Amino acid sequence: MFHRPVVRGRLATAAVALGLLCTLSTSASAGARAPSPPRAHAQVTTVTSRAGGITALSGYTIQSTAKVTDPASAVSSPGYPASGWYPAGSRSTVLAALLAAGKYADPFYSTNQQQIPKADFQVPWWYRSDFTVADTAERTYLDFSGVISAADVYVNGRQAATAADVAGAYTHHELDVTSLVRSGTNTVAFRIEPNSPNSRLTMGWIDWLQPPPDENMGIVRDVLVRRGGPVALRDVHVVTKLDVPSLAAADLTVKAQARNDTGSPVTATVSGSIGAISFDKSVSLAAHEARTVTFTPVDAPGLHLASPKVWWPAGMGGQPLYSLDLTASAAGTVSDTAHESFGIRDVKAPLNSDGARQYSVNGRKLHIKGGGWSPDEFLRWDRTYVEDRLKYALDLGLNTIRLEGHIEPDEFFDLADRYGILTLPGWECCDKWEGNVNGGEAGDKWTAADYPVAKASMAAEAARLRDHPSVISFLIGSDFAPDATIEKIYLDALKAADWPTPVVAAASDKSSPVSGSSGMKMSGPYDWIPPNYWYAKREGGATGFNSETSAGPDIPTLDTLRRMMSQAELDTLWKNPGSKQYHRSPSSTFSTLKLYDDALTGRYGAPTGLTDYVRKAQLAQYENVRAQFEAYGRNATDSSKPSTGVVYWMFNSGWTSLHWQLMDRYLDQGGAYFGAKKANEPLHVQYSYDNRSVVVVNNRHASASGLTARTTLFNTDGTQKYDKTVTGVTVGGDGARSTALTLPSSVSGLSTTYLARLVLSDSAGREVSRNVYWLSAKPDTLDWDDTDWYYTPTTSYADLKGLGTMAQAPVSATASTTSSGGTSTTTVTLRNTDTGRTPSLLTDVHLVDTAGKPVLPVQWSDNEVGLWPGESVTLTATYRTADLHGSAPRVRVSGWNTPERTLPAS
């Protein structure tokens, strides 16, 4: 975040993760505390003997050094009795392991996390793992990254590396432990040092959530045991060059480092294949020599591809991937192997005439519609949970995920490649990473020891991410750009890694000496502003590339609130706007919901209870998120100051949160989710808060013609006051827009609070887009001159209190479910059966089990809909059958003015 006082910013997404018995679905109960540490079962990993084989350690036993008095030589020797130690997964922070062991109550509920003593994590912890090797004929290496924050490493009682060498969450390490390993059982032990994001180049949580007491100390990426012969293959990658715009051909360059790890000269043959394309080369290596081996179309004509399979972002084309297999042989025997997947695509991101960064993929301009990513607070890796969230991104019509710090493990980017979701990884703000350039914000100044850690971090992440077609940039700064010295470190490392995509100086409007202007802005808001804010071409409004922005708070559904907060906290939530909310932020700027609650009361009327508070929140969140994406979408093709990208802050939260999320921790969906989904639908009709225009935006590649747009205005009692239909609407593709009509500035007899129904039909008369707005003749008024870094004050609110006078609108529902191949689809038909004129507003359908608990995740075709008397809509919900846990499906129907009822859906 920009201009944060000492309060600090917000982002910290995913460096890594932890693969440990992931209790991602925590209950609202406090949970029992184990009376004493359990006896950990020995973690023994059987390591392959195959040359080129890679085996991940299966897990660890861990314990605080405050409770271990034995010397490192004993702790790291086979047979050491780790009595009373805790089990930990192969990727696990200390606290994640303790939570899995039941030592502490559910930290996502109420203020339980405050009860976890921080002092327990201010001393080093031991991580110990055993592995077996059948023979020592092959060489053995330990290969790892993701150590938070630093570690002394021991193998079989002897030190293999010091904490001075193994420092930084992102640095990559390979230790040749051939001389230390023996046949049979071996032990590796890491003495992990405590983490401090302000003083170490690791990761922190800034103001996103209440930070974990252990600051994520641990090992959060796999530790690999590699086997090989005399010649090792490393740094394997493919450089692609695609002909743009023809896409008719592509040149591939394969690179790898061949390294002789013996004391004698070796002649090796390096051979490889990409599908039916094969190539090989002989290379002579002196003792301990490393040399880059390169294959180009000159060496192997097959590496010039005619009609290549081109990788596209989702919605623009397919996501084909190629596979490279490489082998190094010495004296006719395989010494090492390597495998790499890659995609062929071209990414450009020049600055437009207004200085905004404009991305294009394969020669086609791309309007970035994204969200800021958060991992689990305790970095617990769960592939299914991550995949579910990425599927939600596609469901919302988003094309990009931004990762500020906390750069996720390899599997995350594999999934992004597969689903066609673009990613913007980069370093985080407000801690040590920007300590040299962040003025008075948190983060210590760098010492001489930090520069090599930064260089190694950049080199490691560049090498890891460069072949993923989903990665379209690296942001070497966030709130601030690096200084000349640090920028050179980063750029040199990126160049050495053959980094293929644009390097961006910062996520804010900053510049660095070589990379130049970022072309991005970080001007907020981060707290509540009204929907009309987004249409102004200033501050955080819809112009340029906004790297992180939203109207701040997002109140989850009532189901989720009851899972995460005590009754007393729920009472405070709706009764006391000025009270600190533990589940919002540790930041004093964002510790309360006062700005949000004042607006809720000023616009909709004071809440009369928790249920009323939550239903008003869903209305507010729907209209605001929809307006944010609609404004940026409408302005994307403007001739002057177009919007080129917007990243919603944030896509999701790492814990049970009251702000910065499009869906909650449990993947439940409310107004924010469905507002975004509505705004980003492929062919969309929308209302403009600034000039009252009704606009059709086409996010598909092909143009659309023969469309009919109808706009009708109603008083809240359902009385129709205006109706206009425009036929023959045509709109181009790739985000183009067409103005169908402009509403008059005043309409006779229209109430202060009124409703607008927009319907778009195709040439066959089929409805392709419907959008319902609740509007006011009295607009929200913004005090632009008093804009702060996190919001613009509202001096008077729109009057939407008339919604409270709407009569109840009965909605009938029928539902049925079909299941096949592990997937179920529930089809729900809703009909407004009112005999008068009253519409049903924001009618929501929740899929629940027989106990009334939401079935999640679920993807709805549409939801939170508005229906006028006699109108009906059929919605579908798709989900994993297993997530019913044997229950029969039911649907719960409710709405702003629709009585709640639940009915069978089997």
Side-chain angles (χ1 to χ4, degrees):
M1 289 186 183
F2 194 39
H3 291 326
R4 282 170 286 219
V6 169
V7 182
R8 310 183 348 196
R10 63 325 88 257
L11 186 44
T13 129
V16 124
L18 295 104
L20 128 102
L21 291 160
C22 221
T23 323
L24 289 171
S25 185
T26 51
S27 69
S29 59
R33 181 174 298 187
S36 60
R39 180 177 176 81
H41 297 290
Q43 299 283 342
V44 181
T45 304
T46 301
V47 172
T48 180
S49 295
R50 176 178 56 84
I54 300 175
T55 308
L57 294 180
S58 59
Y60 306 88
T61 52
I62 72 171
Q63 185 56 276
S64 168
T65 58
K67 297 183 178 180
V68 178
T69 58
D70 297 314
S73 58
V75 172
S76 62
S77 293
Y80 177 78
S83 178
W85 288 40
Y86 295 91
S90 59
R91 310 173 186 176
S92 179
T93 65
V94 172
L95 186 49
L98 300 183
L99 290 170
K103 183 173 176 61
Y104 302 116
D106 175 11
F108 289 141
Y109 177 71
S110 187
T111 57
N112 284 348
Q113 187 167 254
Q114 288 184 320
Q115 310 309 312
I116 301 174
K118 293 182 180 180
D120 289 355
F121 312 106
Q122 292 171 356
V123 298
W125 278 66
W126 280 111
Y127 275 59
R128 187 182 185 282
S129 187
D130 290 337
F131 62 94
T132 60
V133 173
D135 64 76
T136 56
E138 303 291 345
R139 303 191 68 81
T140 304
Y141 312 84
L142 288 178
D143 186 314
F144 59 91
S145 63
V147 173
I148 303 174
S149 63
D152 295 300
V153 185
Y154 300 84
V155 176
N156 292 341
R158 296 175 60 183
Q159 188 162 14
T162 68
D165 298 319
V166 181
Y170 299 100
T171 55
H172 173 251
H173 309 277
E174 183 181 38
L175 307 179
D176 188 337
V177 295
T178 303
S179 64
L180 303 180
V181 169
R182 59 200 186 201
S183 297
T185 301
N186 297 266
T187 299
V188 57
F190 294 81
R191 186 179 181 272
I192 308 288
E193 293 189 354
N195 186 31
S196 171
N198 283 337
S199 59
R200 294 177 182 265
L201 291 171
T202 54
M203 60 185 72
W205 288 98
I206 318 166
D207 52 9
W208 303 4
L209 46 72
Q210 300 292 347
D214 72 337
E215 297 284 5
N216 294 135
M217 69 182 297
I219 302 176
V220 294
R221 291 182 181 169
D222 287 338
V223 173
L224 307 175
V225 183
R226 304 181 67 150
R227 307 301 304 280
V231 177
L233 287 174
R234 299 294 185 265
D235 198 33
V236 176
H237 61 288
V238 181
V239 179
T240 66
K241 185 178 180 181
L242 177 65
D243 285 353
V244 175
S246 74
L247 312 185
D251 286 336
L252 310 181
T253 299
V254 177
K255 291 187 175 183
Q257 182 192 78
R259 189 181 70 205
N260 178 6
D261 283 340
T262 72
S264 303
V266 173
T267 297
T269 298
V270 179
S271 58
S273 64
I274 299 173
I277 306 165
S278 59
F279 40 87
D280 63 80
K281 185 174 290 188
S282 180
V283 56
S284 297
L285 299 168
H288 302 295
E289 181 185 6
R291 183 181 300 177
T292 298
V293 181
T294 303
F295 299 93
T296 70
V298 174
D299 307 305
L303 294 177
H304 174 79
L305 304 182
S307 302
K309 294 180 288 185
V310 177
W311 188 96
W312 289 93
M316 298 178 70
Q319 292 79 46
L321 296 173
Y322 288 82
S323 293
L324 164 69
D325 290 293
L326 213 58
T327 300
S329 301
T333 301
V334 172
S335 179
D336 203 0
T337 61
H339 174 82
E340 191 76 7
S341 294
F342 65 96
I344 297 175
R345 56 92 177 91
D346 176 85
V347 177
K348 298 285 192 301
L351 303 183
N352 66 14
S353 59
D354 299 307
R357 196 163 292 275
Q358 172 66 70
Y359 279 86
S360 67
V361 177
N362 303 331
R364 283 168 56 184
K365 281 186 178 180
L366 180 69
H367 184 239
I368 295 292
K369 294 183 291 184
W373 181 266
S374 174
D376 171 69
E377 179 176 4
F378 308 108
L379 303 188
R380 293 172 292 195
W381 172 259
D382 183 284
R383 179 187 173 91
T384 299
Y385 184 60
V386 169
E387 190 168 11
D388 287 339
R389 284 179 285 169
L390 291 178
K391 288 179 179 178
Y392 269 14
L394 293 180
D395 185 51
L396 290 172
L398 303 183
N399 56 30
T400 304
I401 292 293
R402 181 181 166 214
L403 302 96
E404 183 194 357
H406 283 284
I407 306 172
E408 290 277 24
D410 295 342
E411 296 96 321
F412 176 92
F413 296 96
D414 290 340
L415 288 169
D417 292 345
R418 193 173 96 194
Y419 286 114
I421 299 172
L422 303 175
T423 61
L424 289 171
W427 305 128
E428 70 193 38
C429 84
C430 316
D431 56 21
K432 184 60 175 270
W433 285 100
E434 295 187 349
N436 275 26
V437 293
N438 64 5
E441 294 192 15
D444 295 351
K445 299 296 183 185
W446 288 22
T447 67
D450 293 313
Y451 290 88
V453 173
K455 181 178 181 179
S457 299
M458 187 71 264
E461 289 305 290
R464 192 171 70 91
L465 300 177
R466 62 193 165 194
D467 277 345
H468 287 284
S470 59
V471 179
I472 58 167
S473 270
F474 199 94
L475 278 65
I476 56 175
S478 178
D479 291 21
F480 296 89
D483 61 27
T485 301
I486 296 174
E487 183 190 29
K488 186 176 189 306
I489 287 174
Y490 291 152
L491 294 182
D492 286 351
L494 287 160
K495 182 179 180 181
D498 293 319
W499 184 256
T501 60
V503 177
V504 180
S508 62
D509 184 14
K510 300 289 183 181
S511 300
S512 56
V514 177
S515 303
S517 171
S518 70
M520 295 185 177
K521 67 178 183 179
M522 192 188 286
S523 48
Y526 298 97
D527 213 324
W528 191 87
I529 43 80
N532 63 347
Y533 171 97
W534 301 108
Y535 291 83
K537 288 197 173 185
R538 57 178 299 176
E539 314 302 339
T543 182
F545 193 118
N546 201 339
S547 69
E548 50 181 65
T549 187
S550 77
D554 179 82
I555 305 303
T557 63
L558 199 54
D559 296 292
T560 292
L561 286 171
R562 286 173 171 154
R563 294 180 71 176
M564 62 186 265
M565 300 172 77
S566 69
Q567 187 58 53
E569 290 167 329
L570 292 173
D571 289 341
T572 299
L573 178 65
W574 72 272
K575 290 179 180 178
N576 303 317
S579 295
K580 289 186 177 181
Q581 296 290 340
Y582 184 71
H583 284 268
R584 184 158 190 212
S585 173
S587 158
S588 60
T589 302
F590 303 119
S591 61
T592 77
L593 292 165
K594 183 169 175 51
L595 288 175
Y596 177 86
D597 288 352
D598 286 352
L600 213 62
T601 295
R603 301 173 89 241
Y604 291 102
T608 58
L610 178 63
T611 300
D612 185 53
Y613 177 79
V614 173
R615 75 184 190 120
K616 286 174 176 172
Q618 302 315 312
L619 275 179
Q621 288 151 197
Y622 188 107
E623 64 165 344
N624 219 318
V625 175
R626 175 178 59 181
Q628 177 177 336
F629 281 109
E630 285 184 338
Y632 272 87
R634 187 198 70 175
N635 292 359
T637 53
D638 284 359
S639 58
S640 175
K641 294 186 177 181
S643 64
T644 60
V646 60
V647 177
Y648 186 88
W649 204 252
M650 298 174 63
F651 176 69
N652 67 300
S653 178
W655 83 322
T656 42
S657 178
L658 296 172
H659 76 165
W660 295 341
Q661 56 190 357
L662 289 175
M663 79 288 299
D664 66 39
R665 169 67 193 173
Y666 304 108
L667 303 185
D668 205 354
Q669 305 144 317
Y673 187 97
F674 291 112
K677 180 177 173 68
K678 177 59 64 177
N680 294 321
E681 61 187 353
L683 186 60
H684 178 64
V685 62
Q686 65 187 59
Y687 168 78
S688 303
Y689 282 81
D690 59 340
N691 61 16
R692 305 180 309 284
S693 62
V694 173
V695 173
V696 178
V697 176
N698 183 11
N699 292 307
R700 304 178 304 187
H701 183 49
S703 61
S705 60
L707 304 173
T708 297
R710 181 184 180 187
T711 301
T712 315
L713 304 183
F714 302 86
N715 286 344
T716 53
D717 65 359
T719 305
Q720 181 176 309
K721 291 297 179 180
Y722 174 89
D723 188 43
K724 185 170 184 178
T725 299
V726 177
T727 61
V729 177
T730 298
V731 59
D734 294 329
R737 76 161 191 261
S738 178
T739 300
L741 62 107
T742 299
L743 297 179
S745 57
S746 64
V747 173
S748 178
L750 197 63
S751 54
T752 301
T753 305
Y754 62 98
L755 303 175
R757 182 184 64 193
L758 281 57
V759 177
L760 184 70
S761 303
D762 65 13
S763 57
R766 293 184 296 261
E767 183 177 299
V768 293
S769 178
R770 163 183 286 245
N771 214 344
V772 176
Y773 293 81
W774 39 103
L775 302 168
S776 173
K778 177 189 175 186
D780 295 289
T781 305
L782 289 150
D783 181 5
W784 292 104
D785 291 340
D786 284 335
T787 295
D788 204 339
W789 65 270
Y790 63 98
Y791 87 117
T792 295
T794 303
T795 56
S796 64
Y797 297 113
D799 185 357
L800 298 171
K801 298 182 182 69
L803 296 178
T805 67
M806 291 180 69
Q808 292 285 288
V811 174
S812 68
T814 59
S816 62
T817 299
T818 59
S819 300
S820 177
T823 298
S824 290
T825 300
T826 294
T827 302
V828 183
T829 298
L830 304 175
R831 180 179 295 275
N832 183 334
T833 58
D834 187 64
T835 56
R837 298 172 301 197
T838 305
S840 65
L841 183 63
L842 212 75
T843 303
D844 175 87
V845 185
H846 253 67
L847 183 74
V848 298
D849 61 19
T850 51
K853 180 181 178 182
V855 178
L856 299 167
V858 61
Q859 289 195 16
W860 286 94
S861 57
D862 195 6
N863 211 328
E864 301 198 340
V865 296
L867 294 173
W868 269 252
E871 288 185 334
S872 64
V873 65
T874 297
L875 312 176
T876 58
T878 307
Y879 52 97
R880 287 185 293 265
T881 306
D883 288 337
L884 284 167
H885 302 292
S887 172
R890 296 169 66 82
V891 290
R892 185 177 67 210
V893 181
S894 62
W896 173 256
N897 59 328
T898 300
E900 182 180 306
R901 59 186 292 241
T902 303
L903 62 146
S906 53

mmCIF file of all heavy atoms in Angstrom, residues 352-354 356 358 367 537 542-545 632 635-645:
data_model
loop_
_atom_site.group_PDB
_atom_site.id
_atom_site.type_symbol
_atom_site.label_atom_id
_atom_site.label_comp_id
_atom_site.label_asym_id
_atom_site.label_seq_id
_atom_site.Cartn_x
_atom_site.Cartn_y
_atom_site.Cartn_z
ATOM 1 N N ASN A 352 1.754 3.241 -22.316
ATOM 2 C CA ASN A 352 0.966 3.929 -23.346
ATOM 3 C C ASN A 352 1.250 5.429 -23.307
ATOM 4 O O ASN A 352 2.103 5.904 -22.543
ATOM 5 C CB ASN A 352 -0.523 3.600 -23.204
ATOM 6 C CG ASN A 352 -1.131 4.141 -21.910
ATOM 7 O OD1 ASN A 352 -0.554 4.976 -21.219
ATOM 8 N ND2 ASN A 352 -2.323 3.665 -21.592
ATOM 9 N N SER A 353 0.531 6.182 -24.093
ATOM 10 C CA SER A 353 0.807 7.624 -24.196
ATOM 11 C C SER A 353 0.529 8.367 -22.897
ATOM 12 O O SER A 353 1.016 9.483 -22.710
ATOM 13 C CB SER A 353 -0.035 8.233 -25.330
ATOM 14 O OG SER A 353 -1.419 8.027 -25.083
ATOM 15 N N ASP A 354 -0.236 7.754 -22.003
ATOM 16 C CA ASP A 354 -0.501 8.368 -20.699
ATOM 17 C C ASP A 354 0.462 7.874 -19.625
ATOM 18 O O ASP A 354 0.344 8.257 -18.453
ATOM 19 C CB ASP A 354 -1.938 8.053 -20.256
ATOM 20 C CG ASP A 354 -2.968 8.595 -21.226
ATOM 21 O OD1 ASP A 354 -2.901 9.800 -21.527
ATOM 22 O OD2 ASP A 354 -3.819 7.820 -21.688
ATOM 23 N N ALA A 356 0.760 4.690 -18.685
ATOM 24 C CA ALA A 356 0.233 3.505 -18.012
ATOM 25 C C ALA A 356 0.737 2.246 -18.700
ATOM 26 O O ALA A 356 0.894 2.206 -19.922
ATOM 27 C CB ALA A 356 -1.291 3.522 -18.014
ATOM 28 N N GLN A 358 0.558 -1.159 -20.401
ATOM 29 C CA GLN A 358 -0.453 -1.847 -21.195
ATOM 30 C C GLN A 358 0.069 -3.218 -21.608
ATOM 31 O O GLN A 358 0.966 -3.336 -22.438
ATOM 32 C CB GLN A 358 -0.803 -1.033 -22.441
ATOM 33 C CG GLN A 358 -1.718 -1.758 -23.423
ATOM 34 C CD GLN A 358 -3.094 -2.012 -22.851
ATOM 35 O OE1 GLN A 358 -3.871 -1.077 -22.666
ATOM 36 N NE2 GLN A 358 -3.423 -3.275 -22.580
ATOM 37 N N HIS A 367 -6.703 -6.383 -21.094
ATOM 38 C CA HIS A 367 -7.086 -5.585 -19.943
ATOM 39 C C HIS A 367 -6.964 -6.476 -18.712
ATOM 40 O O HIS A 367 -7.684 -7.466 -18.577
ATOM 41 C CB HIS A 367 -8.526 -5.092 -20.088
ATOM 42 C CG HIS A 367 -8.976 -4.193 -18.986
ATOM 43 N ND1 HIS A 367 -10.050 -4.477 -18.176
ATOM 44 C CD2 HIS A 367 -8.483 -3.006 -18.543
ATOM 45 C CE1 HIS A 367 -10.206 -3.510 -17.289
ATOM 46 N NE2 HIS A 367 -9.265 -2.616 -17.504
ATOM 47 N N LYS A 537 -11.724 9.846 -13.270
ATOM 48 C CA LYS A 537 -10.388 9.507 -13.770
ATOM 49 C C LYS A 537 -9.318 10.225 -12.944
ATOM 50 O O LYS A 537 -8.534 11.038 -13.454
ATOM 51 C CB LYS A 537 -10.277 9.840 -15.251
ATOM 52 C CG LYS A 537 -11.079 8.888 -16.128
ATOM 53 C CD LYS A 537 -10.664 8.951 -17.576
ATOM 54 C CE LYS A 537 -11.349 7.880 -18.391
ATOM 55 N NZ LYS A 537 -10.887 7.831 -19.774
ATOM 56 N N ALA A 542 -11.068 4.777 -12.521
ATOM 57 C CA ALA A 542 -10.834 3.863 -13.641
ATOM 58 C C ALA A 542 -10.016 4.488 -14.753
ATOM 59 O O ALA A 542 -10.524 4.807 -15.840
ATOM 60 C CB ALA A 542 -12.160 3.343 -14.173
ATOM 61 N N THR A 543 -8.755 4.665 -14.473
ATOM 62 C CA THR A 543 -7.793 5.091 -15.479
ATOM 63 C C THR A 543 -6.444 4.482 -15.123
ATOM 64 O O THR A 543 -6.124 4.294 -13.939
ATOM 65 C CB THR A 543 -7.685 6.625 -15.543
ATOM 66 O OG1 THR A 543 -6.762 6.993 -16.567
ATOM 67 C CG2 THR A 543 -7.197 7.218 -14.242
ATOM 68 N N GLY A 544 -5.656 4.118 -16.126
ATOM 69 C CA GLY A 544 -4.347 3.545 -15.885
ATOM 70 C C GLY A 544 -4.409 2.131 -15.338
ATOM 71 O O GLY A 544 -5.393 1.427 -15.485
ATOM 72 N N PHE A 545 -3.309 1.734 -14.693
ATOM 73 C CA PHE A 545 -3.181 0.385 -14.134
ATOM 74 C C PHE A 545 -3.116 0.512 -12.619
ATOM 75 O O PHE A 545 -2.132 0.984 -12.064
ATOM 76 C CB PHE A 545 -1.899 -0.288 -14.659
ATOM 77 C CG PHE A 545 -1.832 -1.770 -14.382
ATOM 78 C CD1 PHE A 545 -1.780 -2.672 -15.428
ATOM 79 C CD2 PHE A 545 -1.807 -2.255 -13.086
ATOM 80 C CE1 PHE A 545 -1.712 -4.044 -15.189
ATOM 81 C CE2 PHE A 545 -1.744 -3.615 -12.827
ATOM 82 C CZ PHE A 545 -1.695 -4.514 -13.881
ATOM 83 N N TYR A 632 -13.752 0.144 -14.626
ATOM 84 C CA TYR A 632 -12.495 -0.180 -15.303
ATOM 85 C C TYR A 632 -12.744 -0.873 -16.636
ATOM 86 O O TYR A 632 -12.022 -0.644 -17.614
ATOM 87 C CB TYR A 632 -11.610 -1.031 -14.388
ATOM 88 C CG TYR A 632 -10.732 -0.198 -13.486
ATOM 89 C CD1 TYR A 632 -11.185 0.263 -12.261
ATOM 90 C CD2 TYR A 632 -9.443 0.161 -13.882
ATOM 91 C CE1 TYR A 632 -10.392 1.050 -11.442
ATOM 92 C CE2 TYR A 632 -8.626 0.946 -13.070
ATOM 93 C CZ TYR A 632 -9.111 1.394 -11.854
ATOM 94 O OH TYR A 632 -8.316 2.181 -11.048
ATOM 95 N N ASN A 635 -13.935 1.772 -19.286
ATOM 96 C CA ASN A 635 -12.917 2.736 -19.709
ATOM 97 C C ASN A 635 -11.714 2.103 -20.389
ATOM 98 O O ASN A 635 -10.769 2.805 -20.747
ATOM 99 C CB ASN A 635 -12.438 3.542 -18.502
ATOM 100 C CG ASN A 635 -13.506 4.473 -17.958
ATOM 101 O OD1 ASN A 635 -14.610 4.544 -18.490
ATOM 102 N ND2 ASN A 635 -13.191 5.187 -16.889
ATOM 103 N N ALA A 636 -11.725 0.793 -20.582
ATOM 104 C CA ALA A 636 -10.537 0.116 -21.104
ATOM 105 C C ALA A 636 -10.191 0.524 -22.530
ATOM 106 O O ALA A 636 -9.027 0.460 -22.930
ATOM 107 C CB ALA A 636 -10.729 -1.395 -21.020
ATOM 108 N N THR A 637 -11.172 0.937 -23.297
ATOM 109 C CA THR A 637 -10.902 1.300 -24.697
ATOM 110 C C THR A 637 -11.048 2.793 -24.947
ATOM 111 O O THR A 637 -11.176 3.228 -26.096
ATOM 112 C CB THR A 637 -11.847 0.519 -25.629
ATOM 113 O OG1 THR A 637 -13.204 0.708 -25.205
ATOM 114 C CG2 THR A 637 -11.517 -0.970 -25.601
ATOM 115 N N ASP A 638 -11.007 3.588 -23.889
ATOM 116 C CA ASP A 638 -11.073 5.042 -24.055
ATOM 117 C C ASP A 638 -9.883 5.549 -24.857
ATOM 118 O O ASP A 638 -8.765 5.035 -24.737
ATOM 119 C CB ASP A 638 -11.084 5.738 -22.689
ATOM 120 C CG ASP A 638 -12.442 5.647 -22.006
ATOM 121 O OD1 ASP A 638 -13.362 5.060 -22.593
ATOM 122 O OD2 ASP A 638 -12.557 6.162 -20.874
ATOM 123 N N SER A 639 -10.103 6.579 -25.630
ATOM 124 C CA SER A 639 -9.008 7.163 -26.404
ATOM 125 C C SER A 639 -8.095 8.004 -25.528
ATOM 126 O O SER A 639 -6.918 8.204 -25.842
ATOM 127 C CB SER A 639 -9.574 8.020 -27.539
ATOM 128 O OG SER A 639 -10.417 9.045 -27.015
ATOM 129 N N SER A 640 -8.623 8.505 -24.414
ATOM 130 C CA SER A 640 -7.829 9.318 -23.500
ATOM 131 C C SER A 640 -7.844 8.699 -22.108
ATOM 132 O O SER A 640 -8.905 8.356 -21.586
ATOM 133 C CB SER A 640 -8.396 10.742 -23.429
ATOM 134 O OG SER A 640 -7.717 11.504 -22.456
ATOM 135 N N LYS A 641 -6.681 8.525 -21.544
ATOM 136 C CA LYS A 641 -6.525 7.956 -20.201
ATOM 137 C C LYS A 641 -7.327 6.666 -19.994
ATOM 138 O O LYS A 641 -8.143 6.558 -19.077
ATOM 139 C CB LYS A 641 -6.912 8.988 -19.133
ATOM 140 C CG LYS A 641 -6.004 10.195 -19.073
ATOM 141 C CD LYS A 641 -6.361 11.092 -17.906
ATOM 142 C CE LYS A 641 -5.403 12.267 -17.804
ATOM 143 N NZ LYS A 641 -5.734 13.155 -16.650
ATOM 144 N N PRO A 642 -7.112 5.693 -20.854
ATOM 145 C CA PRO A 642 -7.851 4.437 -20.675
ATOM 146 C C PRO A 642 -7.397 3.701 -19.416
ATOM 147 O O PRO A 642 -6.286 3.917 -18.911
ATOM 148 C CB PRO A 642 -7.481 3.642 -21.928
ATOM 149 C CG PRO A 642 -6.119 4.147 -22.282
ATOM 150 C CD PRO A 642 -6.144 5.623 -21.968
ATOM 151 N N SER A 643 -8.261 2.853 -18.917
ATOM 152 C CA SER A 643 -7.843 1.935 -17.855
ATOM 153 C C SER A 643 -7.175 0.743 -18.529
ATOM 154 O O SER A 643 -7.660 0.238 -19.551
ATOM 155 C CB SER A 643 -9.044 1.477 -17.031
ATOM 156 O OG SER A 643 -9.936 0.721 -17.824
ATOM 157 N N THR A 644 -6.057 0.302 -17.982
ATOM 158 C CA THR A 644 -5.339 -0.825 -18.576
ATOM 159 C C THR A 644 -5.300 -2.038 -17.650
ATOM 160 O O THR A 644 -4.981 -3.134 -18.103
ATOM 161 C CB THR A 644 -3.896 -0.430 -18.940
ATOM 162 O OG1 THR A 644 -3.204 -0.019 -17.748
ATOM 163 C CG2 THR A 644 -3.888 0.712 -19.952
ATOM 164 N N GLY A 645 -5.603 -1.823 -16.380
ATOM 165 C CA GLY A 645 -5.607 -2.956 -15.467
ATOM 166 C C GLY A 645 -6.081 -2.562 -14.090
ATOM 167 O O GLY A 645 -5.923 -1.413 -13.658
#
